[in-house]
């Protein structure tokens, strides 16, 4: 089994939302939703695993930018946005997917995912990481607090 197949199989069988494999080893897993797993990976294990394979439930443009930053070499997404595919192609990251959509929608399906919105106009993956971290830090805060 190759590295991408290992990541994808682990994602499907383990009930994970995000899995990173390097060679024959799983180096990162998460059951968290949204952008959080990729932020954690970029801030943690990414430097030690250039070219690793990522399998994830959903990859939008913001997540694709973090994949660039994290040195991911190839990925599979259950759902992949066109903006993500454009980013991945620009970076030379091979991508497979189950379903391709124009853009990732929010969980209520009432508009764009907040990360899709935050990624608009951003070209620097480091800037995207900063924006994602700020978003996550403010998630639990009450407005005006």
């Amino acid at each position: 089994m190759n590295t991408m197949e290992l990541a994808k199989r682990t994602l499907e069988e383990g009930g994970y939302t995000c899995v990173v494999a390097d060679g024959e080893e799983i180096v990162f897993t998460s059951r968290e939703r949204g952008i959080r797993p990729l932020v954690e990976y970029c801030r943690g294990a990414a430097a030690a695993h250039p070219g690793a394979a990522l399998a994830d439930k959903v990859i939008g443009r913001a997540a694709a930018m973090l994949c660039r930053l994290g040195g991911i070499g190839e990925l599979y997404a259950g759902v992949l946005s066109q903006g993500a595919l454009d980013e991945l192609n620009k970076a030379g990251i091979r991508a497979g997917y189950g379903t391709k959509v124009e853009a990732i929608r929010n969980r209520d399906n009432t508009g764009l995912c907040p990360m899709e919105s935050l990624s608009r106009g951003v070209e620097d993956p480091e800037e995207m990481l900063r924006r994602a971290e700020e978003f996550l830090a403010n998630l639990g805060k009450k407005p005006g607090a």
Side-chain angles (χ1 to χ4, degrees), residues 4 8 52-56 58-60 63-65 67-68 72-100:
M4 187 71 255
K8 190 174 169 184
L54 169 100
D56 200 293
V58 179
I59 296 286
M65 292 182 81
C67 289
R68 286 175 51 199
I72 296 297
E74 65 180 319
L75 70 79
Y76 171 83
V79 177
L80 182 76
S81 76
Q82 182 61 53
L85 187 57
D86 295 344
E87 281 295 321
L88 297 168
N89 286 338
K90 184 169 39 175
I93 298 171
R94 291 176 301 195
Y97 54 86
T99 303
K100 184 174 72 167

Side-chain angles (χ1 to χ4, degrees), residues 5 15 17 26 29 32 34 56 62 65 76 82 89 138 140 143:
E5 289 170 355
T17 57
I26 298 297
T29 61
E32 296 271 350
D56 200 293
M65 292 182 81
Y76 171 83
Q82 182 61 53
N89 286 338
N138 290 322

